Amino acid sequence: MKDGSTHLAHKAEHAVDMESGAVVAVTLQAADLGDTTTVHQTLAEAGMAVAELVGREAELLPDKEPQVNIDGIEELVADKGYHSGAVVEWVGESEVLSYIPARKQAGKRNWKGKQREQQAVEATRAE
């Protein structure tokens, strides 16, 4: 910008294995997209990367116990920027356990027409 400031044109998002600390996937997203929009691609990329690792390990070391989780991604941990009823519902449908804290909200949420999202969000609170 002319005044010396900058505007981000993109942001990097990454998926990390919580046990080993290994970066499983990195995606480059447009900076104007919210976290609740970009999480879908990052989780999908991570799932494909894990599936590829499972296949490669099975091919190279067929007689050894797998070091990669053969069930793929089972848990998602994210900050509150990724929380929305739609994301929580989608992650639940993907059979992935999510740990995404809800944002503080003034007043009550309007769940009208969003019963499945409401059930998904309330189910994560019960866990």
Side-chain angles (χ1 to χ4, degrees), residues 61-107:
L61 305 166
D63 298 332
K64 290 200 173 189
E65 173 121 7
Q67 298 299 306
V68 178
N69 183 4
I70 61 172
D71 294 328
I73 296 176
E74 295 181 313
E75 297 177 320
L76 169 67
V77 178
D79 64 44
K80 64 184 174 184
Y82 291 86
H83 190 279
S84 75
V87 168
V88 172
E89 180 185 1
W90 174 75
V91 172
E93 289 171 353
S94 303
E95 298 181 12
V96 173
L97 184 60
S98 67
Y99 301 95
I100 308 172
R103 297 178 187 158
K104 287 189 177 183
Q105 190 164 336

Side-chain angles (χ1 to χ4, degrees), residues 7-68:
H7 290 279
L8 292 177
H10 63 275
K11 64 177 181 172
E13 224 173 46
H14 58 280
V16 177
D17 177 65
M18 298 296 284
E19 286 184 28
S20 68
V23 176
V24 178
V26 176
T27 60
L28 193 59
Q29 309 286 345
D32 63 341
L33 297 177
D35 294 338
T36 58
T37 304
T38 59
V39 68
H40 302 284
Q41 182 184 0
T42 303
L43 189 59
E45 293 278 339
M48 289 188 295
V50 170
E52 186 178 313
L53 287 170
V54 168
R56 186 176 324 155
E57 190 173 89
E59 183 180 308
L60 296 175
L61 305 166
D63 298 332
K64 290 200 173 189
E65 173 121 7
Q67 298 299 306
V68 178

